Amino acid sequence: MKHPETLERLWKVISLVPEGSVASYGQIADLAGLPGRARLTARALAKAPQELGLPWYRIIRSSGHIAFPIGSENFAEQRAALLNEGVIVKQNKIDMRQFKWQPTIETLLFELDY
DNA sequence: GGTGTGACAACAA
DNA sequence: TTTGTTGCCACAC
């Protein structure tokens, strides 16, 4: 990471994803001002301190699929967490048209200080 | 410094 | 729709 600030920026954006919706790795990167850096979002999640209490399970692939391998412990946990707040997971996939986070202009302006 | 590996994504076929 | 390719770059060897 060039600036350690980058990680915190990603964490900040992730923290804004509201209950009942999801966001893709690339979307988080974009909102953090890091287009094309989806993989960095993945790293940021893996390194995020537990204490931050980030909604890590609301971050999925742009395809609507959960990134963890089907059958893994993490996959099961993420799927359960999503179902628990009303996000429908059908055939191991989520309908992005229905559940993708659409931040309001207010959120963009006041929560993400550009 | 070279190489392979990711909680990824856009695009072509 | 699925699969392959390419772009991305931090990190571990």
Side-chain angles (χ1 to χ4, degrees):
Chain A
M1 238 108 350
K2 274 184 180 170
H3 320 287
E5 179 188 345
T6 300
L7 264 188
E8 307 186 354
R9 193 175 182 70
L10 286 165
W11 290 340
K12 168 73 187 242
V13 176
I14 292 167
S15 75
L16 298 177
V17 182
E19 179 180 339
S21 57
V22 298
S24 73
Y25 297 85
Q27 179 183 8
I28 296 299
D30 284 346
L31 293 174
L34 302 163
R37 306 297 306 284
R39 301 188 95 121
L40 192 53
T41 298
R43 298 194 109 298
L45 277 172
K47 303 182 85 165
Q50 187 68 57
E51 308 84 78
L52 290 182
L54 292 179
W56 60 272
Y57 54 86
R58 295 183 187 140
I59 312 304
I60 63 179
R61 286 185 181 157
S62 61
S63 63
H65 288 91
I66 284 175
F68 293 113
I70 297 177
S72 69
E73 190 79 22
N74 284 323
F75 179 92
E77 192 183 344
Q78 182 163 16
R79 181 172 173 286
L82 288 172
L83 287 172
N84 186 46
E85 55 182 47
V87 175
I88 300 171
V89 183
K90 266 189 177 176
Q91 307 309 138
N92 293 325
K93 130 184 132 218
I94 294 153
D95 183 351
M96 293 304 268
R97 291 185 309 179
Q98 179 177 6
F99 297 104
K100 185 180 180 185
W101 177 37
Q102 320 260 312
T104 64
I105 187 63
E106 287 80 9
T107 294
L108 296 178
L109 290 176
F110 299 110
E111 301 298 335
L112 305 177
D113 32 85
Y114 273 68

